Amino acid sequence: AITKVRARQILDSRGIPTVEVDLYTNKGMFRASAPSGAPSGMYGAIELRDGDKATYLGNGVSKAVKNINEKISEAIVGMDPILQNQIDQAMIDLDKTEKKGELGANAILAVSIAACRAGAAEKEVPLYKHIADLCGGVNHALPVPAFTLISGGKHAGNNLAIREIMILPVGARTFEEAMQMGSETYHHLKAAVEEKYGPRGCIVAEDGGLAPDITSFREGLDLVMEAIGRTGYTDKLKIAIDVAATDFCIGSKYDLDFKSPKKSGQNFKSGEEMVEIYKELCRDYPIVSIEDPFDKEDWEQVKHFSGLGICQVVGDDLLMSNPKRIERAIHENACDAFLLKVNQLGTVTEAIEVVKMAKDAKWGVVVSQRSGETDDSFLADISVGLATGQIKAGAPCRGERLAKYNQLIRIEEEIGDQASYVGESWRHS
Ligand code: PGA
Ligand code: ZN
């Protein structure tokens, strides 16, 4: 049984406070922490922040910590950690609000993950195995990683409008080999960037991607192709992009120069023009997945683009992991994959439910990091346990990003001969 729950405020990878919790059972102490993103909408669960400008610029989480140490602790001490569902439900009932704003989704999530670790220990099975059991015993599988190579958008200081250019090592035979391909390509890219933009081009962004001073999609993609060419893995690596178009949608137009100090006003594109741009990019580069190609409220355009069937279309800001938005998107065929940001839901149980819903609809599932991360590696275990097929945890660089990828290396080793890396079947693992 859970004997004690103790939370504290720690700092995330951006140097902003977040919640960490230690949950005790007779098997030991189990720790977890909550990540944090740069939200582009209101459909996700609410991160509780103190708002007191005099402390951490208003970003403190002492109220969330207090909620764990007092209210949540009282509600769950004595419960059996194997019963994830009941623990999560107890917190949802205690919070009483739809978006978990009362206790804070950051508080609830950290406890939910720590309880999941305690549940695995209680059963004496690895965490991914416990998660697979909670989901009804699907076959576990190692996901294809989407490594961020170039960063832009809100996450970087350059003028590139799109948020991420990633590579997917679909042709690797094992996760470990995928990791090697990712790392080698990253370092070849770094060399190529340095040759062209000088050492300043190698400054990294929040998620570890390089952020050279490029402005166009093609300039970024050409650099990535150059790096891929240098590795010799040409047919084994595919490209994915996160456009995060909501960030530069002004009215009904997309401002591709939105970060440029000398906004020309010349680079506004309509939704139709964006469709043409994507079509050409998919023709000229091995792009297999596009995330948030349009504004989060532009259902018509995303439905139209998705219907063309050119590549996987992932809903991130469009859906914000919100079950109602996902249900609508499934019903309207608005996309065919979603980004699972566990902290937008708030509990492990709810994450499992939406993954089931997406899989029933034959959707792809991308387990995702947030721009503010910690060294918690839970995402690795959930991606294996739910056999999501895809994980996006940033560049193969920076500790908080590697916490997830390195855990996947360990899991693959532990599963041994029975381990299967999804490879070419990443879309429908
Ligand atoms: P966020 O970014 O964590 O800042 O929301 C992640 C993403 O856009 O995929
Ligand atoms: Zn995104």
Side-chain angles (χ1 to χ4, degrees):
I2 297 170
T3 53
K4 186 172 131 186
V5 186
R6 179 90 212 136
R8 67 183 65 83
Q9 178 169 283
I10 59 165
L11 298 188
D12 72 13
S13 59
R14 296 188 292 199
I16 295 174
T18 191
V19 179
E20 177 174 87
V21 63
D22 294 349
L23 182 145
Y24 296 78
T25 68
N26 16 12
K27 294 269 183 194
M29 185 273 277
F30 305 93
R31 180 169 287 163
S33 51
S36 170
S40 305
M42 303 288 291
Y43 303 109
I46 295 170
E47 223 171 62
L48 185 62
R49 299 223 174 252
D50 298 342
D52 164 17
K53 293 275 180 236
T55 318
Y56 285 113
L57 295 88
N59 290 317
V61 291
S62 69
K63 288 179 190 161
V65 165
K66 195 161 179 268
N67 286 340
I68 296 176
N69 289 339
E70 294 172 5
K71 297 180 188 154
I72 294 178
S73 168
E74 196 188 308
I76 69 165
V77 163
M79 290 181 84
D80 180 347
I82 293 177
L83 305 174
Q84 186 73 38
N85 192 346
Q86 292 186 15
I87 296 168
D88 289 343
Q89 195 57 48
M91 292 192 284
I92 291 167
D93 292 346
L94 191 64
D95 180 87
K96 294 193 189 72
T97 65
E98 201 193 322
K99 294 201 227 156
K100 305 184 174 68
E102 189 60 34
L103 297 171
N106 39 358
I108 293 176
L109 180 70
V111 175
S112 184
I113 295 174
C116 197
R117 291 204 165 99
E122 200 71 24
K123 282 161 59 182
E124 297 181 359
V125 298
L127 183 54
Y128 62 84
K129 177 77 175 46
H130 177 46
I131 297 169
D133 292 346
L134 290 172
C135 177
V138 288
N139 291 326
H140 33 72
L142 273 298
V144 164
F147 293 118
T148 309
L149 291 191
I150 292 186
S151 300
K154 265 190 192 174
H155 292 176
N158 57 5
N159 290 332
L160 180 66
I162 61 171
R163 218 178 248 192
E164 286 172 276
I165 302 177
M166 296 163 272
I167 49 161
L168 274 55
V170 300
R173 283 158 302 176
T174 61
F175 182 82
E176 195 187 359
E177 192 182 23
M179 201 68 232
Q180 183 190 332
M181 289 177 177
S183 165
E184 290 173 9
T185 314
Y186 184 84
H187 290 287
H188 280 298
L189 176 72
K190 209 165 166 179
V193 166
E194 186 160 1
E195 286 161 26
K196 211 164 163 201
Y197 302 86
R200 280 184 51 146
C202 298
I203 294 172
V204 300
E206 286 180 349
D207 49 12
L210 298 174
D213 206 9
I214 51 177
T215 47
S216 77
F217 295 9
R218 282 181 184 268
E219 209 178 335
L221 288 161
D222 287 339
L223 275 170
V224 169
M225 291 308 290
E226 168 70 27
I228 292 176
R230 291 186 191 190
T231 62
Y233 297 134
T234 308
D235 299 325
K236 296 185 169 144
L237 300 174
K238 301 291 179 202
I239 294 178
I241 58 177
D242 178 7
V243 181
T246 303
D247 291 347
F248 54 94
C249 181
I250 320 253
S252 60
K253 297 261 187 183
Y254 294 92
D255 179 6
L256 297 185
D257 274 342
F258 87 109
K259 295 203 298 176
S260 164
K262 44 178 196 305
K263 280 184 195 291
S264 63
Q266 304 296 304
N267 219 354
F268 280 91
K269 304 286 178 201
S270 66
E272 290 75 25
E273 286 170 318
M274 292 301 283
V275 171
E276 289 312 309
I277 291 175
Y278 298 139
K279 276 194 200 163
E280 286 167 12
L281 292 178
C282 289
R283 182 195 64 206
D284 298 341
Y285 301 94
I287 296 175
V288 293
S289 179
I290 302 185
E291 182 179 327
D292 286 335
F294 307 98
D295 179 68
K296 68 179 191 306
E297 305 303 342
D298 195 350
W299 289 82
E300 286 315 308
Q301 205 62 257
V302 75
K303 270 195 292 201
H304 164 67
F305 181 64
S306 205
L308 299 175
I310 301 174
C311 63
Q312 171 178 263
V313 179
V314 186
D316 171 18
D317 294 336
L318 175 76
L319 307 172
M320 301 204 104
S321 305
N322 180 313
K324 289 193 190 122
R325 305 267 297 181
I326 295 173
E327 217 177 314
R328 173 175 172 195
I330 290 172
H331 191 71
E332 298 185 16
N333 286 319
C335 44
D336 59 4
F338 88 106
L339 210 72
L340 173 66
K341 289 172 166 170
V342 187
N343 73 325
Q344 287 181 335
L345 285 155
T347 64
V348 174
T349 304
E350 288 162 289
I352 292 172
E353 290 308 316
V354 289
V355 169
K356 277 192 194 158
M357 180 163 90
K359 286 196 159 201
D360 284 346
K362 305 260 178 300
W363 269 32
V365 180
V366 189
V367 168
S368 175
Q369 62 168 6
R370 301 308 308 267
S371 41
E373 271 294 338
T374 69
D375 57 3
D376 196 301
S377 59
F378 184 72
L379 295 187
D381 287 86
I382 199 166
S383 74
V384 175
L386 302 182
T388 61
Q390 304 175 60
I391 186 170
K392 146 171 149 170
C397 163
R398 317 315 290 177
E400 74 282 3
R401 313 294 149 187
L402 287 165
K404 286 74 172 164
Y405 295 135
N406 286 340
Q407 175 70 356
L408 286 163
I409 293 178
R410 292 180 205 111
I411 293 174
E412 183 169 68
E413 180 188 280
E414 184 179 286
I415 301 177
D417 290 348
Q418 300 298 310
S420 73
Y421 171 67
V422 299
E424 301 285 352
S425 36
W426 56 278
R427 241 175 126 165
H428 302 288
S429 110

